[in-house]
Amino acid sequence: MPNKRLSVGLFVVAGALVLAACDGSAAPDARQDAAGLDPAKCADPNFASAHTDFCVDNASVPETPAAEAATLSNGLKVRIISAKSETVDSNGYDSGPTASVLVTIATEITNTGNATFVFPTATSNVRAELLYGRNHAKATYSAIQKGGSTDLPEQLVAGGSVTITSTFTMRAGGADNVVFRFNPDNTTTDDITFTNVQTLYK
């Protein structure tokens, strides 16, 4: 005949183990597993579907060498046609006393699609951002710049091209790792990240 006390004792122990597993005490292990995931595995569709949130948070941004062109999903081809850097009198720019380098980048946008592209009415939807140095400090969009998103027309017909000029001020130093992020309409497509822009300086 089974021992009732032993059976009850085993039942209580089993119940305690189930409660311990459900009360969040196992959460640290789950978090540790998530922290140990490899973002490179997100290229595998099976892994990505099983770890959707992780892969979205760790999505890699494609990079384009500064000397090459990039084509967006909407058919716009973007390339840097010139870049220059010069030392300036920082008092002439609203960027603080340590910003003494002026970087000017001319970007050409060509509509390679079959339909007219309409640029966003909100100029803030056009991204032009310069990062530099080991930690990718953000350069200041020059307060006295000429051009920028105001260079863009309302629309660009198929086969047409337009040039936009972006001017930034940044601190001296850290100019060996310059990245330019650009997007004609960041509400519809991902940014283009041009790397090693300093190799184009003239």
Side-chain angles (χ1 to χ4, degrees):
M1 180 176 178
N3 187 325
K4 290 184 178 180
R5 289 183 180 178
L6 179 60
S7 298
V8 170
L10 290 174
F11 178 78
V12 171
V13 171
L17 290 173
V18 170
L19 289 175
C22 296
D23 69 357
S25 60
D29 292 336
R31 284 194 296 270
Q32 186 174 3
D33 290 343
L37 295 177
D38 183 1
K41 292 183 179 178
C42 290
D44 178 359
N46 294 328
F47 181 89
S49 63
H51 304 90
T52 306
D53 292 340
F54 173 80
C55 288
V56 167
D57 291 340
N58 290 278
S60 60
V61 178
E63 296 182 344
T64 302
E68 297 180 12
T71 302
L72 293 166
S73 58
N74 56 16
L76 295 185
K77 184 172 76 172
V78 180
R79 69 184 183 101
I80 298 175
I81 56 175
S82 70
K84 73 175 181 177
S85 172
E86 56 187 318
T87 303
V88 296
D89 178 4
S90 60
N91 293 328
Y93 297 88
D94 185 19
S95 305
T98 57
S100 59
V101 175
L102 181 70
V103 176
T104 304
I105 298 176
T107 309
E108 181 185 67
I109 307 168
T110 303
N111 185 354
T112 64
N114 298 320
T116 297
F117 175 80
V118 179
F119 285 99
T121 54
T123 57
S124 60
N125 290 342
V126 179
R127 184 189 301 281
E129 190 174 72
L130 193 74
L131 309 172
Y132 66 99
R134 176 187 294 179
N135 298 319
H136 281 173
K138 187 175 179 179
T140 303
Y141 215 36
S142 177
I144 62 167
Q145 67 161 341
K146 294 181 180 179
S149 57
T150 57
D151 283 342
L152 294 173
E154 291 183 5
Q155 57 187 22
L156 189 61
V157 298
S161 297
V162 65
T163 300
I164 177 174
T165 302
S166 306
T167 307
F168 305 88
T169 50
M170 57 185 254
R171 298 184 181 199
D176 58 339
N177 184 17
V178 181
V179 172
F180 179 55
R181 285 188 184 148
F182 182 77
N183 196 329
D185 186 358
N186 62 23
T187 64
T188 59
T189 59
D190 293 332
D191 296 342
I192 298 171
T193 300
F194 291 104
T195 58
N196 294 318
V197 175
Q198 73 279 357
T199 59
L200 301 181
Y201 289 163
K202 293 181 179 180

